[in-house]
Amino acid sequence: QLHLQESGPGSVKPSETLSLTCTVSGGSINTRSYYWGWIRQPPGKGLEWIGSIYYSGSTYYTPSLKSRVTISVDTSKNQFSLRLSSVTATDAAVYYCARQLSGRTYWYFDLWGRGTLVTVSS
Amino acid sequence: QSVLTQPPSVSGAPGQRVTISCTGSSSNIGAGYDVHWYQQLPGTAPKLLMYGNTNRPSGVPDRFSGSKSDTSASLAISGLQAEDEADYYCQSYDSSLSGSVFGGGTKLTVL
């Protein structure tokens, strides 16, 4: 049974960089079958896709965050990571990592981590 | 303002049937991209509830059904149960944004 687990600091200072890691267990991240994504949810609000990465390193980012986001993959550790620079209060959210299936007409997230809350505070 | 539009809330009594709509545009649902639905119980991570417009993952009761037409999609829940009380999100791919888009979410209240 594949399991995803987010980890990283629970608090980040304004203007600094948020860094999170998603560790995949029970299966390999090094597979052509899936992408791996990050989604966030501000408190009391809806879901926002941040970006996704393929095992080869190909990335896709949501346009509104593209200038500040970097997603990377480390297949040797079975992990993928998120970096979001120059954070502000609006970046405070629960951050989820998820496994993503993609095809010609579909793109969806079939397995999710439990999420990790990141606050932005000085 | 979400790219996909959902009603903020719906409600129904136990045993009733409710539907949740998801309206998109010609760059997502209308372009032929599939719609997927997620259920988020209070305090938990979202869970895939429906994929490819009408397909239920293993373990999802057949009380849940999905449909898609033109630029919109719907999730129907029949035989409402107390444990169905949750937030529901639709999701698709948007060619203009070259990525995933979510609806704003619908809170289902079981009366």
Side-chain angles (χ1 to χ4, degrees):
Chain A
Q1 177 77 3
L2 198 82
H3 182 70
L4 295 89
Q5 177 69 59
E6 306 88 352
S7 60
S11 183
V12 182
K13 291 182 170 57
S15 80
E16 296 192 343
T17 297
L18 178 160
S19 295
L20 296 174
T21 295
C22 183
T23 300
V24 179
S25 58
S28 176
I29 201 171
N30 195 12
T31 171
R32 295 182 178 182
S33 301
Y34 303 104
Y35 285 71
W36 306 91
W38 287 97
I39 301 103
R40 70 180 182 178
Q41 183 173 36
K45 296 189 177 181
L47 301 169
E48 179 184 27
W49 172 69
I50 300 170
S52 301
I53 191 166
Y54 198 44
Y55 77 100
S56 62
S58 299
T59 52
Y60 303 84
Y61 301 131
T62 191
S64 62
L65 297 174
K66 190 172 184 177
S67 63
R68 298 195 291 129
V69 172
T70 302
I71 297 176
S72 58
V73 64
D74 187 337
T75 56
S76 67
K77 294 183 178 179
N78 230 31
Q79 295 176 334
F80 62 106
S81 299
L82 169 71
R83 287 174 57 86
L84 179 65
S85 64
S86 305
V87 299
T88 68
T90 59
D91 295 311
V94 175
Y95 285 76
Y96 296 100
C97 61
R99 188 175 75 173
Q100 175 188 315
L101 288 96
S102 297
R104 190 178 62 82
T105 63
Y106 62 89
W107 180 318
Y108 64 95
F109 306 95
D110 69 330
L111 285 175
W112 295 62
R114 296 182 65 176
T116 187
L117 175 63
V118 178
T119 59
V120 179
S121 173
S122 55
Chain B
Q1 189 78 2
S2 302
V3 174
L4 304 179
T5 301
Q6 298 180 234
S9 63
V10 297
S11 63
Q16 286 189 332
R17 181 179 185 269
V18 298
T19 61
I20 300 172
S21 62
C22 175
T23 303
S25 67
S26 58
S27 62
N28 41 69
I29 300 174
Y33 295 107
D34 291 348
V35 177
H36 321 285
W37 293 88
Y38 302 85
Q39 178 191 58
Q40 186 175 32
L41 297 170
T44 69
K47 166 193 154 188
L48 181 66
L49 187 69
M50 194 78 57
Y51 66 95
N53 307 314
T54 61
N55 302 292
R56 286 177 283 105
S58 175
V60 174
D62 60 7
R63 301 186 295 104
F64 295 88
S65 61
S67 63
K68 175 192 166 187
S69 178
D70 297 326
T71 57
S72 66
S74 290
L75 174 72
I77 311 171
S78 60
L80 264 182
Q81 300 181 4
E83 59 258 36
D84 297 333
E85 192 160 283
D87 294 324
Y88 293 84
Y89 294 90
C90 62
Q91 178 254 319
S92 186
Y93 178 86
D94 190 284
S95 58
S96 296
L97 301 174
S98 297
S100 174
V101 288
F102 285 94
T106 298
K107 182 176 182 59
L108 168 63
T109 300
V110 181
L111 302 171

